Amino acid sequence: MDLQSIPSLSVSQTLCVHCCNTNTALILCGKCGDSLPLSVKHTPLQHEETQVINSPLEQMALREQLRLVDAQTLAMRNLISHLSNSCDALESWARLQRRKLAPIETIPLEILQIIMDFAVEKNVVTRRMDALVISHVSSRWRALARSTSRLWSHIHFHRCSNDADYDVHGAYKRLRRCLKLAKGQLLDIEILETGENGESDNIVQLGREIAERSHQWRSLTIDIEAYQAFWRYEIQANHLQELRLTHEDTWAEPYIPSLVNNAPALRILDMSGVAIRVSTSGPNRVPLNQLEEFKGRINWNDCDGISLPTMTALVVLIDAEDILDSTDSKLHLPHVQHLTLGFDSTIDWANASHAFDVDAIFRRFLCPDLPSLTLSYASITTDTCTSLRSMLVGKRATSTLQALHLNNCQVTSSSLQSFLALLPNLTQFSFIHDSLHEAPSPLDQATYAWMLNGGLVPRLANLYIEERCSDWDTSGLFFFLHSRLSVLQSVTLCGSVSQVPATADQVDSVTAAVQVLRKRGLDISFYLKLCIGT
């Protein structure tokens, strides 16, 4: 806005004295430029109250005077209105000029685009979502935010369970607004906890609106009570690259294979919430050979001799059915970078009647170039190491494994030593042993002594240990750390306790030892994990 656009002070709808046949005037007419009438020469107030006007001419003159007074009143009202509008326009123009001079309005467009990019990955659907905050800074920011469709294309819908003020209806309204502003942009959608069951009207409507935009899906993560709200509609996921189904629900099982096989761009698939054992043929066929990352269950009977050249990260969930399966099929993973074998945590693998069949699981994988291995709730015995060697070494002389993560595995001190002896190139070691098992920790005095004598190679640079404080052999641990200060880069220690007072002395001892190592230059962190009721 500039001064040229401010309304004029002239009044164009009123007539001047010559147009109205009167003699008095004060301001200019908007039609002819002459003066406007503001008074009447002869008004009724100039006559006596008892005077009676009987002459038709005098009555006609009186009516003419009344008309002129009405015209003057209208002229003044129009003038006041125009003056008021001019004042408002000037104030609006002045505010705009002040905003333009504000430092935040002088930020270059390139910097604003960077700010928008930062907000894209944090677009949690709340009243304080980044996209809404940005669009409320100023009119310039709002216009840029509304025109930046990718800002609204990453949608994270999650209700915190402790959010008492959560407005579910407002959240759905904001989500639908995001879908509209995203326009034709590919969508990254995460639907986690909603606070409602899958049959609620909100979930059904949400499922319909998201399903209608299935042709825009780039990634979809669903972790809610029911999938049927999303799969009852026709899905066309031609651009879908990442699909994660993490909530257990059997209703969706018949629909998932069809969806996956009709997603030619799919690269990442997480089926940990669906009890489907995928295969390379049959009704549960999944194109494993086109995936880069997969998490789920495998039907070994249909996967014998399969090679997955594009797979870089594989998480296989293992339960009793896998153990009882007598097939000796192998899965060749020539380029996998991260392999995770997650055993069912509800089964005591070490004491189960079919515990010896755990070795067969390791023999089914062939990945001699594997850099990183994670084992969760596995039972590792001395005999198991032979199968692990077959999986990790193949025809090589030694394993190339560099990172090993053991999460609550059932392993003895001697078994752990035998396992680590297979890994001369190990640089990262993570060991978690919490209160889920009653067995003593394998990281005892004998194991640390074995490490000091060359059992664990000097290349070890990163170490993570999470132990129950009641089983923690801190003296052997810190003696080992002091001996490896020249090669260790980072160490993280996490104590798992059920009652802090019962282990307060040991915690103080660990804290003091950590301070000594820090003074000697080691990047070491110590955390206390409180496990109530374990």
Side-chain angles (χ1 to χ4, degrees):
M1 179 185 295
D2 54 24
L3 289 175
Q4 303 296 329
S5 61
I6 298 177
S8 172
L9 297 181
S10 63
V11 182
S12 59
Q13 299 302 322
T14 56
L15 302 178
C16 66
V17 293
H18 300 294
C19 299
C20 297
N21 297 321
T22 185
N23 295 324
T24 58
L26 183 61
I27 59 177
L28 298 180
C29 172
K31 180 178 180 180
C32 63
D34 213 330
S35 55
L36 289 171
L38 292 180
S39 62
V40 181
K41 186 175 183 180
H42 301 289
T43 66
L45 297 179
Q46 295 173 330
H47 301 276
E48 297 182 2
E49 295 181 0
T50 58
Q51 182 178 357
V52 178
I53 302 178
N54 294 322
S55 170
L57 293 176
E58 290 181 348
Q59 291 180 359
M60 184 181 299
L62 179 59
R63 285 194 296 270
E64 181 64 19
Q65 292 178 13
L66 290 174
R67 188 185 66 80
L68 292 177
V69 170
D70 290 339
Q72 295 173 28
T73 302
L74 178 61
M76 295 304 299
R77 288 175 179 172
N78 290 338
L79 179 60
I80 293 174
S81 176
H82 277 269
L83 289 174
S84 178
N85 292 338
S86 299
C87 182
D88 292 341
L90 282 171
E91 290 180 353
S92 177
W93 182 75
R95 285 195 300 268
L96 179 61
Q97 298 308 309
R98 286 195 298 268
R99 286 198 298 267
K100 287 184 177 180
L101 295 176
I104 199 170
E105 293 292 345
T106 61
I107 297 178
L109 182 61
E110 294 77 10
I111 303 299
L112 286 182
Q113 291 289 356
I114 294 176
I115 295 175
M116 301 291 172
D117 293 338
F118 274 116
V120 167
E121 299 299 326
K122 300 180 179 180
N123 215 11
V124 182
V125 182
T126 65
R127 284 172 293 185
R128 295 178 295 275
M129 60 187 297
D130 289 354
L132 289 179
V133 172
I134 288 176
S135 62
H136 282 74
V137 172
S138 67
S139 57
R140 180 190 179 209
W141 285 50
R142 184 182 303 107
L144 182 60
R146 291 171 65 90
S147 63
T148 307
S149 56
R150 71 178 184 279
L151 179 63
W152 311 92
S153 64
H154 187 91
I155 302 171
H156 183 88
F157 193 94
H158 180 208
R159 173 185 179 178
C160 298
S161 57
N162 58 354
D163 189 357
D165 297 329
Y166 183 78
D167 179 14
V168 62
H169 298 290
Y172 285 114
K173 183 177 180 181
R174 285 186 290 272
L175 188 144
R176 288 191 289 269
R177 184 66 173 168
C178 288
L179 292 174
K180 182 178 180 180
L181 291 174
K183 301 176 182 178
Q185 194 80 13
L186 294 181
L187 300 174
D188 298 301
I189 303 175
E190 291 180 281
I191 308 296
L192 304 181
E193 178 60 41
T194 62
E196 298 184 303
N197 61 54
E199 296 298 331
S200 71
D201 293 339
N202 285 322
I203 293 292
V204 172
Q205 183 177 4
L206 173 65
R208 183 179 67 253
E209 294 187 5
I210 291 180
E212 289 175 350
R213 291 170 174 81
S214 59
H215 60 283
Q216 295 178 237
W217 291 354
R218 195 197 72 86
S219 68
L220 179 65
T221 299
I222 298 181
D223 186 11
I224 61 174
E225 286 203 23
Y227 298 116
Q228 58 261 43
F230 296 86
W231 312 128
R232 64 179 63 178
Y233 308 102
E234 183 179 356
I235 303 297
Q236 297 178 348
N238 295 329
H239 300 287
L240 182 63
Q241 300 178 25
E242 303 175 16
L243 176 62
R244 296 178 178 88
L245 308 174
T246 55
H247 194 285
E248 184 176 355
D249 197 319
T250 59
W251 200 95
E253 293 179 8
Y255 301 90
I256 301 306
S258 175
L259 168 62
V260 171
N261 284 286
N262 287 283
L266 189 65
R267 294 294 178 266
I268 299 176
L269 177 61
D270 182 351
M271 297 179 60
S272 56
V274 183
I276 295 179
R277 311 183 75 80
V278 302
S279 61
T280 56
S281 62
N284 292 333
R285 177 187 176 275
V286 169
L288 293 173
N289 55 354
Q290 80 176 40
L291 298 179
E292 297 176 1
E293 298 181 19
F294 173 76
K295 181 178 182 180
R297 299 164 178 82
I298 294 179
N299 185 350
W300 294 101
N301 292 322
D302 294 329
C303 294
D304 187 16
I306 297 299
S307 178
L308 304 179
T310 61
M311 191 74 68
T312 59
L314 178 63
V315 180
V316 181
L317 305 180
I318 300 171
D319 54 25
E321 186 175 341
D322 292 293
I323 300 299
L324 296 175
D325 188 355
S326 60
T327 181
D328 196 25
S329 59
K330 284 188 178 294
L331 196 63
H332 187 208
L333 306 170
H335 302 298
V336 69
Q337 300 294 310
H338 307 282
L339 174 63
T340 300
L341 302 181
F343 289 77
D344 191 338
S345 61
T346 62
I347 299 177
D348 186 0
W349 296 104
N351 299 319
S353 59
H354 49 264
F356 62 91
D357 289 330
V358 174
D359 298 350
I361 293 295
F362 299 115
R363 290 195 298 268
R364 292 175 184 175
F365 295 91
L366 183 59
C367 37
D369 297 322
L370 181 68
S372 176
L373 173 65
T374 299
L375 298 178
S376 296
Y377 298 96
S379 176
I380 302 175
T381 64
T382 304
D383 295 335
T384 305
C385 294
T386 303
S387 302
L388 288 169
R389 177 181 176 82
S390 175
M391 177 180 72
L392 298 174
V393 178
K395 297 181 180 180
R396 295 177 180 269
T398 59
S399 170
T400 60
L401 193 71
Q402 300 177 9
L404 175 64
H405 310 279
L406 300 181
N407 179 20
N408 289 297
C409 291
Q410 296 172 316
V411 55
T412 62
S413 176
S414 59
S415 300
L416 181 61
Q417 295 175 30
S418 300
F419 191 12
L420 295 177
L422 300 174
L423 312 174
N425 296 307
L426 196 67
T427 60
Q428 300 180 32
F429 179 48
S430 172
F431 181 82
I432 299 177
H433 180 255
D434 61 18
S435 302
L436 294 178
H437 301 303
E438 297 299 330
S441 171
L443 290 179
D444 53 14
Q445 192 74 27
T447 302
Y448 287 123
W450 173 80
M451 290 180 178
L452 287 172
N453 294 328
L456 198 61
V457 295
R459 295 184 181 183
L460 184 66
N462 301 285
L463 180 64
Y464 177 92
I465 296 179
E466 182 176 331
E467 281 271 24
R468 293 177 300 189
C469 285
S470 58
D471 291 343
W472 208 339
D473 181 15
T474 55
S475 59
L477 169 63
F478 286 110
F479 188 73
F480 169 74
L481 295 180
H482 278 283
S483 67
R484 295 298 179 92
L485 285 176
S486 59
V487 292
L488 284 172
Q489 297 179 2
S490 66
V491 176
T492 301
L493 307 177
C494 182
S496 176
V497 299
S498 57
Q499 292 182 351
V500 176
T503 58
D505 294 339
Q506 189 174 20
V507 171
D508 293 341
S509 175
V510 173
T511 303
V514 167
Q515 295 297 333
V516 173
L517 289 169
R518 283 177 179 168
K519 290 180 180 179
R520 296 191 60 182
L522 179 62
D523 181 13
I524 183 171
S525 302
F526 173 60
Y527 302 95
L528 188 62
K529 178 182 177 183
L530 183 60
C531 302
I532 301 297
T534 57

